[in-house]
Amino acid sequence: MDINDNIDSPLVIKVSFNKLLSQYESLIKADNDFIAANARRVLKIAEDNPVLRDGFSDLKLLDTYEKEIAGILQDSFSPILTKNEIKTASVPFQDVIFNKSERFKSLLKTAGDDFELQIKNMPTDQRYIIACTIILNFCYGYNLNFKRPFFYEIPDANGITRYYKILYNADFTEIIPRDNAPKITKEDYEELLDNFENIELWKEKFPPNSYDFKGFVISNIFDVTDDQSISNIKSSLIGEDKRKDESFMQGFYEIFRSLFGFKSLEVGFSIYNEEEQTFERVYGVGMNSFLINNFDSVKCSDALCDWTYNRLLKENSYFSISDVDKLYKLSKGQAPHVKVLHEQGFKSAIFAPIANDEGLMGILEIVSKKPQVLNSINANKLIDIMPFIISAVERSKNEEENLIEAIIQKECTSIHPSVHWRFEKEAKNFIKAQMNGKEPNFNKIAFENIYPLYGQIDIKGSSEARNWATQQDLTLQLKTVQNILKNASGLEELPIYEQYIYQAENFLKGLETNFQVDSEQQISGFIKDEIEPVLKHLYTTDELKSDIDEYFNRIDDTVEVLYHHRKHYDDTIALINKEMASLLDQKQVEAQLMYPHYFERFKTDGVEHNMYIGESLTKEDSFNPIYLYNLRLWQLQVMVEMENSYYQMQSQFPVALDVASMILVFNQPLSISFRMDEKQFDVDGTYNARYEIVKKRVDKAYIKGTTQRVTQKGKISIVYSQKEDEKEYLQYIKFLQSKKYLDNDVEIVELQDLQAVTGLKAIRVSVLYHKDKDDKEFYTYDDLMKEIKS
């Protein structure tokens, strides 16, 4: 087999000892007889075997001349040092080794027969270009430093990976241009400097097999396991999102095992919460804490004894337990940190505080199920790695704080992605002013010529439904109280009981005939202030105990009233809002892909949404009215889908309520600005305020000359003021009718004038429903109700 087989390279490699032999030629005339005699010995071997000077590429010859090669290299591989030095003679950048020190042979033998020696960090895809840079250095005198550290990773007798750094001695190599090698000019060199990745250019300047490489390299190899372990820890901690990577902690264990030199070792972390004075679990795949074991958090005082508490929290010093079982017996199981290790089967441990100038942030926990392998002596290995762990924890804490802040921003004071760029721009200007010593000012954020879209799916009769639920609960509560008082009156005739029974009866009559807004407050006050003290007094009477217990068991602890029908109502509203908002949010993701626009939604008695679209929002010269028309059609279609989705899940809700949908069309573009105090966008200017007035009042508007509301269950109402809007939406309706989204009963109605707003109209059309997602039939609202109830 030839060394150059299957290798694409500008170099034709030959193993040759010519350069080394040249040095021996100069030693023949040495004053020292021993040195001169040794030089003659080496040159005699070369004279008898000229191929060793001329060079060869047939790998079989390495075996043929193994003894002669060893003779030539005897001085380089001193028999006195061979059991100590890790050294090889080899072909550069390949795993072809033909002379080894005894120490290196021993390492390979320990690694096992199935171990395959490979150089790590060797960029195989860039070998051609690396060879070219070596030619530039050797033949043309350019000092291109492309040195990278190369390593062997070799397992020891315990299966622990140890790292060995390779340092090449290239004194005995020579590179000679062949006839087909183009001469490299200064212009060529300058061009190559800017084109490292352009392999075709390098091949043009250094064609394959255009230079002869003669010689060999001596590799001096050093055990750098500790240094490399520290470097690997640093690299591991720098990466992002490690907590989500299943292999991360396993790899982290292996690095620590290499550092400490044994296999039976595990690593854990716990976070110190200064405010709560607790140790807490680090959440992530494979993350453990051996100090708090299976708990999510443990009080520091419950996890540590007084001495260890002071050692870790006050002094910020590490401590070790070399024999857990021994200390467990001595402490009689009373030391909590020893007890928790003993329960988990660990025999030795090191606890190291992760602390910076501001104090303790967490604990690094290193544990083993072997006694004495972790101790106060090898705990000193942590001195070099703790700065990296501290730095990573600091960064992690900052990232977590940023994440918490981001979640708060998203959930509580959301800045929609479509306008985030504008806030970012102002924030940068704010920081720039601050850095330049100026008075920073967060400028007004406004967008002009924006087209608004508004829609809502509203719960019909929500006030009536809540009033009914309140009446039912109060009636039930008053009747229960009456029954207890009547029983009490039978046991002990006191006029006050009759008085309370009479008051309860009056409240019951009022609930039946004239339920007022303040009725709930009056009745609750009567029961809390007057009835409940009496019930507590009567509780001493054995005959009434069970009735009074039953009464108080039905009182909700949070709202302190009987909360049965109202809970069903409130749960229904919450579920409707949750489901409708979730559907709208999902659909909105698709809409953003059509064209970016501002979107926000609100949960009330139903779900409202605002959208704004226009050039100034996107900061691109790309807006076209077609995107507005597309968004309007999308909105209408989604409102129909929300109606369908609602009625498909209506039966799952505690209370069967109806919904009605409405879209408000505003023809003219307007301006919006961000209200810092309210943390939301609002319209700018007097004219634009008309839009907000209509939004707030239109769903309560009546059709002109009637007492009928414009919004109606089973129908979509589209409110507008301009004739062109009417034409546009009639086209959308026609299209959705063809898709069986809407019925054919289109009606156009005029609305009664609102305060400061006149001339509004509405298109109303019935929605076509499906019983469920798999149903292919179409139903009107009335048909659907009959079908559901049948």
Side-chain angles (χ1 to χ4, degrees):
M1 180 180 171
D2 195 281
I3 294 171
N4 300 293
D5 284 350
N6 304 315
I7 294 176
D8 187 21
S9 172
L11 298 173
V12 178
I13 295 175
K14 285 185 177 181
V15 177
S16 166
F17 301 94
N18 180 55
K19 202 90 180 278
L20 176 64
L21 293 168
S22 298
Q23 292 199 22
Y24 276 105
E25 285 171 349
S26 65
L27 295 176
I28 291 176
K29 299 174 184 177
D31 294 338
N32 187 309
D33 292 342
F34 176 79
I35 292 174
N38 184 54
R40 284 192 289 273
R41 176 190 65 80
V42 172
L43 290 169
K44 181 69 170 68
I45 296 171
E47 187 181 334
D48 294 343
N49 303 280
V51 70
L52 298 179
R53 186 187 283 272
D54 296 339
F56 58 88
S57 57
D58 185 351
L59 290 173
K60 290 179 183 176
L61 295 182
L62 290 172
D63 294 328
T64 304
Y65 294 100
E66 181 180 4
K67 185 178 177 183
E68 289 77 7
I69 290 170
I72 290 174
L73 296 176
Q74 183 177 309
D75 292 340
S76 300
F77 288 78
S78 167
I80 302 298
L81 300 174
T82 189
K83 292 185 179 179
N84 181 272
E85 290 184 334
I86 311 173
K87 205 171 193 180
T88 67
S90 63
V91 177
F93 307 117
Q94 295 189 40
D95 297 312
V96 178
I97 296 172
F98 51 82
N99 211 62
K100 312 178 185 78
S101 67
E102 289 301 320
R103 172 87 185 276
F104 190 75
K105 289 177 184 176
S106 174
L107 292 176
L108 296 182
K109 185 178 179 182
T110 303
D113 296 335
D114 57 347
F115 174 71
E116 186 179 341
L117 186 68
Q118 282 187 328
I119 299 172
K120 301 296 176 183
N121 279 22
M122 177 63 71
T124 54
D125 56 335
Q126 295 173 349
R127 276 186 181 177
Y128 196 102
I129 295 172
I130 292 169
C132 295
T133 62
I134 292 169
I135 293 168
L136 283 170
N137 288 355
F138 263 83
C139 298
Y140 296 97
Y142 291 114
N143 186 22
L144 282 175
N145 186 357
F146 193 77
K147 290 181 181 177
R148 292 181 63 199
F150 297 123
F151 295 91
Y152 289 129
E153 292 179 9
I154 305 174
D156 65 11
N158 297 317
I160 300 297
T161 300
R162 300 197 68 81
Y163 301 92
Y164 298 89
K165 189 174 183 178
I166 306 165
L167 294 180
Y168 287 115
N169 180 344
D171 289 347
F172 310 118
T173 62
E174 50 190 325
I175 298 175
I176 305 147
R178 287 187 164 191
D179 293 339
N180 65 328
K183 186 165 179 62
I184 303 299
T185 65
K186 189 171 187 296
E187 288 75 17
D188 292 331
Y189 170 71
E190 289 171 353
E191 185 181 3
L192 290 167
L193 284 178
D194 293 324
N195 287 281
F196 180 79
E197 302 293 339
N198 188 347
I199 183 68
E200 295 307 318
L201 179 65
W202 288 90
K203 284 189 173 183
E204 178 191 321
K205 309 295 183 187
F206 303 91
N209 305 324
S210 56
Y211 290 80
D212 284 322
F213 175 96
K214 290 179 65 178
F216 70 100
V217 293
I218 290 177
S219 300
N220 293 289
I221 302 165
F222 302 92
D223 187 337
V224 292
T225 302
D226 284 0
D227 291 342
Q228 189 60 31
S229 296
I230 292 168
S231 177
N232 289 347
I233 287 170
K234 183 179 177 181
S235 300
S236 297
L237 294 172
I238 287 171
E240 299 292 330
D241 284 338
K242 293 296 187 183
R243 287 192 228 175
K244 298 176 184 175
D245 187 349
E246 290 186 25
S247 63
F248 170 66
M249 278 310 294
Q250 196 55 45
F252 208 60
Y253 287 174
E254 292 301 330
I255 295 168
F256 270 86
R257 287 164 183 163
S258 293
L259 181 66
F260 280 87
F262 59 90
K263 197 84 173 171
S264 60
L265 177 150
E266 293 179 59
V267 183
F269 298 92
S270 49
I271 298 169
Y272 173 57
N273 184 330
E274 185 178 11
E275 191 175 335
E276 303 286 338
Q277 282 289 298
T278 56
F279 292 124
E280 298 175 355
R281 179 179 299 281
V282 178
Y283 289 100
V285 179
M287 294 279 190
N288 293 313
S289 172
F290 310 108
L291 185 61
I292 65 176
N293 200 3
N294 295 321
F295 296 101
D296 287 332
S297 68
V298 171
K299 285 279 185 187
C300 298
S301 54
D302 294 337
L304 304 168
C305 67
D306 291 343
W307 184 85
T308 54
Y309 183 93
N310 285 324
R311 184 82 173 162
L312 283 174
L313 273 73
K314 305 294 184 187
E315 299 173 20
N316 287 337
S317 299
Y318 62 79
F319 71 90
S320 61
I321 305 170
S322 62
D323 194 329
V324 171
D325 290 348
K326 181 180 176 182
L327 194 56
Y328 182 75
K329 288 176 184 175
L330 284 172
S331 65
K332 298 178 181 179
Q334 296 303 305
H337 62 291
V338 178
K339 183 182 178 185
V340 76
L341 291 172
H342 183 266
E343 287 171 350
Q344 295 171 82
F346 295 116
K347 306 297 184 184
S348 59
I350 297 170
F351 293 109
I354 305 169
N356 59 12
D357 293 340
E358 295 176 9
L360 186 70
M361 295 182 288
I363 306 292
L364 171 66
E365 310 160 4
I366 305 172
V367 296
S368 175
K369 293 194 174 178
K370 287 188 175 180
Q372 299 178 340
V373 293
L374 293 169
N375 50 66
S376 64
I377 296 169
N378 60 14
N380 285 284
K381 285 179 174 286
L382 295 178
I383 292 170
D384 294 321
I385 65 168
M386 287 312 292
F388 304 124
I389 291 176
I390 289 166
S391 178
V393 171
E394 283 175 333
R395 193 180 74 248
S396 180
K397 281 189 75 174
N398 290 335
E399 287 171 356
E400 188 167 21
E401 286 170 8
N402 291 339
L403 181 60
I404 290 167
E405 190 61 34
I407 290 168
I408 292 169
Q409 285 284 336
K410 183 181 177 186
E411 298 298 325
C412 307
T413 55
S414 177
I415 301 298
H416 194 262
S418 64
V419 294
H420 189 271
W421 65 271
R422 187 71 179 80
F423 286 84
E424 193 176 73
K425 182 180 176 182
E426 283 305 323
K428 285 179 180 177
N429 290 336
F430 188 95
I431 293 167
K432 192 189 296 181
Q434 216 168 27
M435 293 295 183
N436 292 331
K438 297 176 183 176
E439 186 66 33
N441 184 34
F442 204 92
N443 294 323
K444 178 181 177 181
I445 292 175
F447 299 97
E448 295 180 352
N449 293 318
I450 301 299
Y451 291 91
L453 294 92
Y454 172 77
Q456 67 172 43
I457 182 164
D458 193 38
I459 297 165
K460 294 296 287 180
S462 57
S463 297
E464 291 84 351
R466 193 186 190 287
N467 286 345
W468 178 87
T470 304
Q471 283 175 295
Q472 296 302 306
D473 282 345
L474 292 176
T475 299
L476 183 58
Q477 191 169 357
L478 285 167
K479 286 185 175 179
T480 306
V481 166
Q482 268 190 329
N483 287 335
I484 293 171
L485 291 172
K486 284 175 182 176
N487 290 337
S489 185
L491 294 170
E492 184 183 14
E493 286 191 27
L494 294 177
I496 192 68
Y497 297 152
E498 292 296 326
Q499 166 66 22
Y500 288 143
I501 292 168
Y502 170 74
Q503 282 182 261
E505 189 60 38
N506 277 343
F507 279 127
L508 284 167
K509 286 177 182 176
L511 285 173
E512 286 179 19
T513 59
N514 188 27
F515 182 77
Q516 300 289 329
V517 176
D518 61 345
S519 298
E520 182 178 359
Q521 189 177 354
Q522 288 178 5
I523 294 169
S524 296
F526 164 68
I527 291 172
K528 188 171 183 61
D529 298 336
E530 300 187 47
I531 300 297
E532 287 188 359
V534 174
L535 295 180
K536 287 170 184 174
H537 164 71
L538 291 171
Y539 192 69
T540 55
T541 307
D542 291 341
E543 292 90 336
L544 300 175
K545 259 186 183 179
S546 61
D547 289 341
I548 295 171
D549 274 334
E550 187 180 348
Y551 168 81
F552 279 109
N553 286 336
R554 296 175 79 175
I555 300 301
D556 186 272
D557 292 336
T558 308
V559 292
E560 297 183 340
V561 293
L562 194 145
Y563 184 57
H564 176 69
H565 292 91
R566 277 173 289 187
K567 187 175 189 307
H568 282 175
Y569 168 82
D570 290 341
D571 287 349
T572 300
I573 298 295
L575 281 167
I576 292 171
N577 286 344
K578 179 187 172 187
E579 296 295 339
M580 293 299 98
S582 176
L583 177 62
L584 188 58
D585 288 346
Q586 290 171 30
K587 295 291 181 183
Q588 181 40 215
V589 174
E590 301 166 14
Q592 288 293 341
L593 296 175
M594 299 174 194
Y595 190 83
H597 56 277
Y598 182 84
F599 169 80
E600 62 184 357
R601 58 157 176 78
F602 308 98
K603 295 177 184 176
T604 52
D605 281 356
V607 177
E608 303 173 34
H609 66 269
N610 285 320
M611 294 186 289
Y612 299 106
I613 188 169
E615 187 77 64
S616 61
L617 277 170
T618 55
K619 68 170 182 177
E620 295 173 6
D621 188 18
S622 60
F623 179 72
N624 187 289
I626 192 71
Y627 295 117
L628 170 63
Y629 305 146
N630 188 73
L631 196 58
R632 284 176 172 175
L633 176 58
W634 172 88
Q635 182 190 35
L636 180 56
Q637 186 170 323
V638 167
M639 294 294 284
V640 174
E641 289 182 29
M642 288 172 71
E643 280 262 352
N644 255 287
S645 180
Y646 171 74
Y647 281 109
Q648 285 165 15
M649 64 179 76
Q650 187 198 47
S651 60
Q652 302 168 23
F653 298 144
V655 180
L657 297 171
D658 281 307
V659 294
S661 297
M662 184 203 75
I663 289 170
L664 174 61
V665 185
F666 198 73
N667 190 268
Q668 297 299 315
L670 44 74
S671 298
I672 60 171
S673 64
F674 191 75
R675 309 290 188 210
M676 293 294 179
D677 51 346
E678 297 171 15
K679 298 290 184 283
Q680 67 180 43
F681 278 96
D682 204 351
V683 297
D684 263 346
T686 308
Y687 174 76
N688 295 333
R690 179 172 176 266
Y691 172 69
E692 288 295 327
I693 292 169
V694 175
K695 254 173 44 177
K696 286 181 172 66
R697 298 175 182 170
V698 71
D699 65 320
K700 303 292 190 292
Y702 293 103
I703 295 174
K704 206 165 196 175
T706 73
T707 56
Q708 186 186 112
R709 288 267 174 86
V710 65
T711 54
Q712 189 177 337
K713 62 187 179 186
K715 290 180 182 282
I716 292 270
S717 300
I718 302 160
V719 178
Y720 62 95
S721 62
Q722 303 295 321
K723 189 67 177 177
E724 54 262 41
D725 296 330
E726 182 181 297
K727 289 178 182 176
E728 182 184 336
Y729 274 87
L730 286 173
Q731 287 179 328
Y732 299 154
I733 289 167
K734 192 173 182 181
F735 170 70
L736 293 179
Q737 285 170 336
S738 72
K739 297 285 186 183
K740 299 293 185 184
Y741 274 73
L742 297 172
D743 207 348
N744 295 317
D745 59 342
V746 178
E747 60 176 329
I748 296 173
V749 297
E750 288 186 48
L751 305 190
Q752 285 185 358
D753 293 344
L754 301 173
Q755 184 182 347
V757 180
T758 60
L760 291 177
K761 288 186 172 184
I763 303 170
R764 298 202 305 182
V765 58
S766 294
V767 177
L768 289 178
Y769 298 96
H770 305 275
K771 273 193 302 181
D772 52 56
K773 290 178 182 176
D774 300 321
D775 184 31
K776 302 299 180 189
E777 294 297 318
F778 302 99
Y779 302 90
T780 65
Y781 173 83
D782 291 336
D783 292 337
L784 181 70
M785 291 300 108
K786 288 175 188 173
E787 189 72 23
I788 289 172
K789 290 171 184 174
S790 62

